[in-house]
Amino acid sequence: MNTAVIALLALPFLPLVAGFALVGGGRWPRAVTATTAFALAALTTVATLALSIFVAVERPSLDRQWVQSLGLRFHLGVDGIGIPLLVLTAAIGLLAVLHRRTEETTGSPATYYGCLLIIVGGALLTFLARDAILFFIAFEIVLVPMWVLIGVFGDRTDPAATRRAALTFVLYTVLGSTLMLAGILALVFSAGTTDLSVLGRGVSLPAAQQTAIAALLLAGLAVKVPLWPLHSWLPAAHTAAPTGGSMLLAAVLLKLGTYGVVRLLVGPLGDGWRTLAPLVGVLAVIGIIWAGLVCLVEPSLKRVIAYSSVAHMGVVMLALATGTELGLRAALFGNISHGIISALLFAVAGGLKHRWHGDRLDVPRDAVRDVSPRLGFALLLGLAASLGLPALAGFWAEFLTLLSAWQPATDRTLFKVLAAFAALGAVLGTAYALRIARTAWAGSADRNERQLPDEAPWSDAHGLEWSVIAVLVVAVVVLGVWPTGLMDLMTPAIQQLGALR
């Protein structure tokens, strides 16, 4: 076994082992100090990021017999579709660990860091899996630690709401997982293989059978994306989750759903996906408009960002529904850009919530630009990227999605109408971004009514908090100015998908 294959194995299992070591072991984690737990988590995520870059360059693969009686194999590999998500997951995992040092949470620090590491490891294993059953198992690893982060380490100002958010997250994701498993089993038994590389080139099944399997898979994965109207668990989960949990949920866990759509539907079930694509496009655009309207009146900053995630994932699903190579590029680019932008906005929102002692936008306050100029700058740039301002990461995903929807593979008239409504969603995005800028960045219009904490003045972002935010700011700008690197990386893998042939 050469060095590259060892790195491939270590990439997901290093954070998994370290995470379970922190969480498990009887009474041992209680003896671990916060500093020790942070040091272990930080070293693990730094090593994981280095491994992800090494694996991205070397592109090793591993294929070993796993369960002989069922024909399952332990098959790991990388391509241009998975590589950006691997690096994104490892990077956001490191930033989430670092950000934990800047905020106070309840519960054991060792358990908190352990849950973060397990989520990172499970997501990395999902993006590396080349066996459909291994993909499902890895997919499910991330759910329990995220539930713990929400339920145990979440917002304590309203414990009942936090418990409801955690329970809703579990119920929705279990339903989605059940449907997804049924769809995966139907796919692999019909195709006679669990190899995602083989399945990705397309399966030879009747169109009606493909559509039935695709509908089952779509129903399960739509919960994970989430696609309207199966999105209602997401705002509550984001509101209750700690900042690190929100960063991973938005930047990584939602991407598992769209990645699953590409690997299990768009590639293998081209005819079935084309049949369902108009419905997916309609639901995606409804989600874009719905989320935009909610963001215009929602008083909670974290819920506004959560609903904006629903809109952005609707853009990704609309791009996938077009069934074109350009649409796939837009969707996969949108996955990465939204991951970075949402992580930035949730990091800023977490800092503001700590300073405001809440995240209400309808409470008069001093201007963020005056009392916390660094946070104000990051908030404004994140909002600009979210609404798709040129030269920032969000622009390319939205622009290419509208372009691909205007020239889809099928249903040209319908998708032109959907493109027009999606453009209206972009206008709504501008409106709610300006609303946040007016109420938070620019401050209350009536300074005599502002409500500030009496015990201490505000402080600006500094130290680890500013380092985390600054890295995300740079990534948003770099991806907006130089999108071709990511586009070129994805293109060969996209062209190999059976749906495009």
Side-chain angles (χ1 to χ4, degrees):
M1 193 177 293
N2 59 36
T3 303
V5 174
I6 293 174
L8 180 68
L9 280 172
L11 178 55
F13 287 106
L14 176 61
L16 282 174
V17 171
F20 281 113
L22 285 172
V23 172
R27 298 181 59 85
W28 177 72
R30 296 192 179 100
V32 177
T33 65
T35 301
T36 303
F38 168 73
L40 176 59
L43 288 173
T44 301
T45 48
V46 167
T48 301
L49 179 58
L51 286 170
S52 70
I53 296 172
F54 179 77
V55 168
V57 173
E58 294 295 327
R59 300 197 182 193
S61 64
L62 176 67
D63 188 4
R64 295 288 186 272
Q65 187 172 282
W66 185 21
V67 183
Q68 183 177 4
S69 59
L70 298 178
L72 305 183
R73 303 189 68 82
F74 189 81
H75 189 182
L76 304 179
V78 291
D79 61 9
I81 295 175
I83 285 173
L85 292 166
L86 290 175
V87 178
L88 175 71
T89 300
I92 298 298
L94 172 59
L95 296 178
V97 167
L98 296 178
H99 194 278
R100 166 62 177 78
R101 297 286 284 182
T102 70
E103 64 176 354
E104 296 180 0
T105 59
T106 58
S108 164
T111 302
Y112 182 94
Y113 289 123
C115 288
L116 289 181
L117 292 177
I118 293 171
I119 292 171
V120 170
L124 290 171
L125 186 58
T126 305
F127 295 136
L128 288 171
R130 289 294 175 269
D131 181 274
I133 304 302
L134 177 61
F135 171 90
F136 175 78
I137 293 172
F139 200 118
E140 298 307 296
I141 288 175
V142 305
L143 301 182
V144 172
M146 180 54 68
W147 169 65
V148 173
L149 285 180
I150 296 171
V152 176
F153 299 95
D155 189 5
R156 296 291 96 186
T157 57
D158 190 350
T162 298
R163 288 194 296 270
R164 284 196 303 271
L167 179 61
T168 303
F169 171 79
V170 169
L171 292 177
Y172 268 84
T173 52
V174 167
L175 172 62
S177 297
T178 302
L179 295 172
M180 184 173 70
L181 177 60
I184 288 175
L185 292 176
L187 173 62
V188 299
F189 281 117
S190 299
T193 181
T194 61
D195 192 329
L196 288 176
S197 300
V198 175
L199 293 172
R201 294 192 287 270
V203 298
S204 299
L205 296 175
Q209 187 176 359
Q210 284 199 32
T211 303
I213 297 173
L216 195 56
L217 284 167
L218 179 62
L221 290 166
V223 177
K224 314 284 190 177
V225 171
L227 182 67
W228 186 93
L230 301 174
H231 68 284
S232 58
W233 63 270
L234 184 64
H238 272 308
T239 302
T243 302
S246 287
M247 291 170 66
L248 282 175
L249 177 58
V252 178
L253 266 65
L254 301 189
K255 308 308 173 282
L256 296 176
T258 49
Y259 180 79
V261 170
V262 173
R263 290 297 189 195
L264 299 174
L265 276 84
V266 176
L269 303 167
D271 292 338
W273 176 249
R274 280 186 284 272
T275 301
L276 297 175
L279 173 62
V280 173
V282 170
L283 295 179
V285 170
I286 292 175
I288 294 169
I289 302 297
W290 180 277
L293 292 173
V294 171
C295 288
L296 291 176
V297 296
E298 174 59 53
S300 164
L301 177 58
K302 289 192 74 174
R303 288 180 71 89
V304 169
I305 300 172
Y307 274 108
S308 73
S309 290
V310 174
H312 283 288
M313 298 315 292
V315 172
V316 171
M317 291 301 290
L318 175 61
L320 289 175
T322 64
T324 63
E325 181 179 333
L326 180 61
L328 277 170
R329 286 189 186 185
L332 295 173
F333 190 95
N335 268 343
I336 305 302
S337 65
H338 173 260
I340 298 170
I341 295 168
S342 61
L344 170 61
L345 286 174
F346 276 115
V348 174
L352 292 176
K353 184 176 182 179
H354 172 70
R355 290 163 174 81
W356 287 349
H357 304 284
D359 68 338
R360 302 281 298 188
L361 293 170
D362 53 358
V363 175
R365 307 178 191 276
D366 267 350
V368 175
R369 65 183 180 186
D370 293 334
V371 292
S372 298
R374 288 178 176 177
L375 278 179
F377 166 75
L379 174 65
L380 205 60
L381 185 134
L383 292 173
S386 180
L387 62 87
L389 197 70
L392 297 176
F395 169 76
W396 296 105
E398 293 193 9
F399 173 72
L400 294 177
T401 295
L402 294 177
L403 191 60
S404 63
W406 200 254
Q407 46 187 12
T410 56
D411 296 301
R412 185 175 298 274
T413 302
L414 172 63
F415 275 90
K416 284 187 176 181
V417 173
L418 294 179
F421 277 101
L424 175 60
V427 174
L428 291 174
T430 303
Y432 66 71
L434 291 175
R435 172 190 171 229
I436 297 174
R438 176 175 58 83
T439 57
W441 184 73
S444 172
D446 187 352
R447 295 299 184 89
N448 294 324
E449 296 181 1
R450 68 185 186 275
Q451 298 179 10
L452 294 172
D454 296 329
E455 63 274 11
W458 284 25
S459 62
D460 203 355
H462 62 278
L464 282 178
E465 182 182 20
W466 176 240
S467 298
V468 168
I469 292 173
V471 168
L472 293 169
V473 165
V474 171
V476 167
V477 174
V478 169
L479 199 59
V481 174
W482 187 57
T484 54
L486 182 57
M487 295 285 189
D488 293 343
L489 175 65
M490 297 184 301
T491 298
I494 290 174
Q495 292 175 341
Q496 292 179 7
L497 293 177
L500 300 179
R501 296 179 180 179

